[in-house]
Amino acid sequence: MKNFLLIIISILMMPFVFSQNHFILSGKTNFVLNGRAILEQYVSPEFYSIKSDTVKIYNQCFVFKGTINYPQQFWLKLVDSNEYITEPFFIDTGLQKILIDSGSLINKYQDVGYGISMEGSVTNDEYMKKYLPLFDSINKKTDNYLLEIERCDTISNEEIKKTCVKKSQLERFNLRESRHNILLNYATQYPKSQIIPWLLNRLIWEYGYNEYFQKTFELIKGYTLKNMNILLKNYLQEQKIKTVGYLFPLNDFIKANSSNKDTQNIKFTLVEFWYSGCGPCIAQFNSLKSVYNKFNKKGFEILAVSIDGKETITKYKKILSLNNYPWQQLLDTGGIKARSINIMKYPSSFLLDDKGKIINIDINPEILDTFLKDNL
């Protein structure tokens, strides 16, 4: 009889449990009258469920409905004849309202996208009102850094320009460390916070592995979902194998596809991942030409790995034909090898020593020039 009552109670509670996990995101925008709203996120959808990640915008309004097992970070893409991206935000359980106004300031330190205002999400309130303000002083320093970068670009003397760039790149590294340290300090103070796992996941996606992220994970792993713990743990391990001090994980692929079999005189190799539709990649190649011409005969090599697929191979070949790059080009069709080591941003580069060990990641061409001058 007791077991029977427990079963009845469980059945009666099921709609209540479902309603606890249910969310409705009611949105409005003043610059897309009719179109589509697309809900996007940084991890697999195992943590939430919706009928569709794309809904219609009708008369400036749209609605998403679904269930969510844990507050999660998303952003919105609004589409009519153009595409518009919002800054990231957190969806919680229950009814939430979001407003995307064309007059909202873009949060340039977090994402390129329209600012949003949101009601009904306790988690998003924590993110916007408690976490982001911690970056105010660093954001001011970032403004100064950006101004310094612009000043460096105006210097005509090459040696003075390199010194300026080197100094600004060091400041960039310090600013990035400070930002990562804010997350670590926040996790130390609030290890149960529900925003940290998603922020950590995104930062690993952007920057790879570092000790700040590993320490943050150790602080929060006892308070997050089991599935999220597994995801973060595996992600950290996968990213760690392509950090400074480790053998480059695609050395076998490079050796098998490289036409340069005489590697005895090569002391340093820059492996640069790119694709034909990447403007910054092309700009990076233009900057690397002078470095290559200066140091190639002294033992420096570049191997460019394109992730272009069948649909863009014609554009890829056209770019190579027009630019006549002096280094070897390899094709990782569709980016299969790149994805296998979680390369998610382009350009991405790895400077390797003669043993295939990583000694620098995403090195600036000016800094690379100085490094090669000192070491070749």
Side-chain angles (χ1 to χ4, degrees):
M1 184 67 179
K2 184 177 181 180
N3 290 338
F4 178 76
L5 288 174
L6 287 174
I7 292 171
I8 294 298
I9 292 171
S10 298
I11 293 172
L12 291 173
M13 286 291 288
M14 284 177 68
F16 176 73
V17 173
F18 174 80
S19 66
Q20 282 186 320
N21 293 340
H22 195 72
F23 76 87
I24 297 175
L25 181 65
S26 175
K28 188 171 184 178
T29 176
N30 70 341
F31 56 92
V32 177
L33 179 62
N34 297 303
R36 293 175 293 134
I38 304 169
L39 196 62
E40 301 194 347
Q41 37 73 51
Y42 293 98
V43 296
S44 64
E46 62 186 286
F47 300 99
Y48 73 98
S49 175
I50 53 178
K51 289 183 178 180
S52 173
D53 60 4
T54 302
V55 297
K56 289 183 178 180
I57 301 174
Y58 178 72
N59 198 23
Q60 301 182 332
C61 297
F62 58 91
V63 177
F64 286 96
K65 296 180 180 180
T67 58
I68 193 163
N69 297 324
Y70 199 88
Q72 185 174 333
Q73 192 174 41
F74 296 82
W75 75 95
L76 278 169
K77 183 187 292 183
L78 308 180
V79 182
D80 50 17
S81 57
N82 297 302
E83 288 188 356
Y84 312 89
I85 301 293
T86 72
E87 64 181 334
F89 56 90
F90 281 86
I91 291 180
D92 216 327
T93 55
L95 173 63
Q96 286 135 106
K97 297 179 180 179
I98 188 169
L99 173 66
I100 306 105
D101 192 309
S102 58
S104 298
L105 293 175
I106 294 174
N107 191 337
K108 61 183 177 181
Y109 302 108
Q110 298 300 320
D111 252 59
V112 177
Y114 284 90
I116 61 99
S117 58
M118 192 171 183
E119 298 177 5
S121 172
V122 175
T123 308
N124 196 63
D125 285 345
E126 177 190 353
Y127 173 63
M128 299 292 288
K129 299 175 183 179
K130 190 174 181 178
Y131 181 74
L132 289 185
L134 298 174
F135 291 86
D136 287 348
S137 62
I138 292 178
N139 289 342
K140 292 177 182 178
K141 292 180 180 179
T142 302
D143 281 335
N144 294 331
Y145 158 75
L146 294 172
L147 290 173
E148 182 65 9
I149 286 291
E150 290 180 4
R151 189 184 74 81
C152 291
D153 288 339
T154 64
I155 298 173
S156 57
N157 183 287
E158 286 301 316
E159 290 302 316
I160 297 176
K161 183 176 182 178
K162 285 178 187 177
T163 301
C164 182
V165 170
K166 191 173 182 179
K167 183 180 177 182
S168 65
Q169 289 300 312
L170 179 60
E171 177 63 13
R172 178 189 179 191
F173 176 79
N174 291 334
L175 286 169
R176 185 178 293 180
E177 269 205 335
S178 297
R179 290 179 178 275
H180 297 341
N181 198 44
I182 286 176
L183 179 70
L184 177 59
N185 289 336
Y186 196 84
T188 303
Q189 192 170 0
Y190 308 106
K192 297 181 181 180
S193 169
Q194 296 183 320
I195 69 172
I196 299 175
W198 309 103
L199 298 178
L200 178 59
N201 179 78
R202 183 181 173 194
L203 287 170
I204 298 170
W205 181 84
E206 288 187 35
Y207 299 109
Y209 175 92
N210 65 46
E211 290 298 324
Y212 289 100
F213 299 160
Q214 185 66 52
K215 290 177 181 178
T216 299
F217 173 68
E218 296 300 328
L219 287 168
I220 68 170
K221 66 181 182 181
Y223 305 103
T224 61
L225 289 176
K226 181 180 178 181
N227 285 350
M228 188 62 182
N229 270 338
I230 294 172
L231 184 147
L232 287 172
K233 181 180 178 180
N234 291 341
Y235 206 6
L236 283 165
Q237 290 175 345
E238 290 166 1
Q239 295 285 17
K240 191 174 183 178
I241 64 171
K242 57 184 178 73
T243 55
V244 172
Y246 283 79
L247 286 172
F248 184 57
L250 295 183
N251 276 331
D252 290 343
F253 168 77
I254 296 297
K255 290 177 182 177
N257 291 276
S258 174
S259 61
N260 191 350
K261 303 303 180 184
D262 182 19
T263 59
Q264 290 183 349
N265 296 323
I266 299 176
K267 296 180 180 179
F268 301 105
T269 301
L270 184 72
V271 181
E272 185 91 4
F273 288 86
W274 73 292
Y275 64 95
S276 61
C278 172
C281 300
I282 309 300
Q284 180 97 319
F285 280 168
N286 293 335
S287 299
L288 285 170
K289 277 186 177 181
S290 62
V291 180
Y292 183 84
N293 293 332
K294 189 186 298 185
F295 296 106
N296 176 243
K297 292 182 179 180
K298 296 180 180 181
F300 172 63
E301 188 56 79
I302 295 177
L303 292 174
V305 183
S306 169
I307 64 161
D308 280 284
K310 294 179 180 178
E311 66 281 358
T312 58
I313 196 69
T314 301
K315 183 178 181 181
Y316 162 74
K317 290 180 178 179
K318 184 177 181 180
I319 288 174
L320 295 187
S321 176
L322 288 173
N323 291 280
N324 194 28
Y325 298 120
W327 50 78
Q328 187 179 350
Q329 296 282 342
L330 307 183
L331 187 59
D332 170 23
T333 307
I336 294 173
K337 291 294 182 180
R339 286 198 303 274
S340 74
I341 61 170
N342 292 293
I343 293 177
M344 306 299 289
K345 61 182 181 65
Y346 296 88
S348 281
S349 64
F350 300 85
L351 183 63
L352 314 180
D353 66 11
D354 56 352
K355 301 293 191 298
K357 185 181 291 184
I358 301 169
I359 56 176
N360 208 315
I361 298 170
D362 293 335
I363 188 169
N364 178 280
E366 286 81 9
I367 305 299
L368 175 62
D369 186 286
T370 301
F371 172 83
L372 295 174
K373 183 179 179 180
D374 294 340
N375 291 276
L376 286 179

